[in-house]
Amino acid sequence: MKIALLEPLGIGEEMVRALAQPLIDAGHEFVYYDAKTTDVEELKRRSAGCEIVVIANNPYPGEVVCGADALKMLDVAFTGIDHVGLEACRERGVLVCNAANYSNQTVAELVIGLVIDLYRKILPGDAAVRAGGASAGLMGREICGKTVGIVGTGRIGTITANLFRAFGAKVVAYSRTRKPELEAQGVEYMLLDELMRESDIISLHVPNNASTRRMIGREQIALMKPTAILVNCARGPVLDAAALADALNEGRIAGAGIDVFDCEPPIPESDPLRSARNTVLTPHVAFLSEESMVRRAHIVFDNIWAYLKGVPENVCKL
């Protein structure tokens, strides 16, 4: 069986080769490409003859799926699969597996980091010191005692809620499915509009799909307190970026921490968040840590072995 890894996994090539060697020893062909490409024809070439293809967050459109005649299993080294041509996978019967849970802790910790940056004005403080300034205008705020609204209490949302609780915050939540363990810890579930009104800090943790796209729009943002901040380390399209930028620039909310956008970075100059006030932006790095990359690589190769044994794991519903 031919297996191809079409892009780097954020780990050294030595580790990739070590993880792949048992597959090679078992008689399978393994091909590794150490550079990304978004060129459709090159992706087709790399996928040619492969029964298993491994990608990360690089787009793998339906045209490529349809051109990969031998493809049986697409192993996505990422949590979300919205960058994959899913309709083509459905039509061709291609199994799609993801790397669920590899970055849960890493994403949750960046949420905390963005909030602390906004609350304690770390970036403005750094700029002030480098410009020869002092503490004027750098009065901060504490997380302790604030109300944090978690939108989506899946695994990452749950970890984030627990981290905020450790800081002494009150946590409220909105989610399609309630978590009894969070309710037992005092987390109150409420309607989304109520959460938007009551929260001092709002953190988004929902996937990008038809039911969540632009779920945080102008109407929801208009409900926020003037002192509230919003963090999005989930998916860009769940948030109306233009509405958020308007609220920030008009001083209707206090700040935002954004790691995800409508497209993958680099973000065009036309993106309204690039010039929004009181905003900390990171280039989709919430999932990216040394530890998470190692976890992800192991999950990816475990997915391959599970498929080869006829008991696939981390199968995505298409």
Side-chain angles (χ1 to χ4, degrees), residues 207-215:
N208 174 32
N209 56 41
S211 65
T212 62
R213 185 174 177 81
R214 304 292 188 249
M215 70 180 295

Side-chain angles (χ1 to χ4, degrees), residues 117-179:
D117 198 334
L118 288 162
Y119 262 27
R120 299 309 306 271
K121 302 184 180 179
I122 294 173
L123 286 177
D126 176 85
V129 172
R130 295 178 190 278
S135 62
L138 297 176
M139 179 74 74
R141 305 182 76 197
E142 295 179 354
I143 295 173
C144 183
K146 301 299 186 294
T147 297
V148 177
I150 302 293
V151 180
T153 54
R155 289 184 175 90
I156 296 175
T158 296
I159 293 172
T160 306
N162 289 333
L163 290 177
F164 274 117
R165 289 179 60 250
F167 274 86
K170 173 187 175 183
V171 176
V172 299
Y174 167 81
S175 192
R176 183 178 60 183
T177 305
R178 296 188 175 197
K179 286 285 183 68

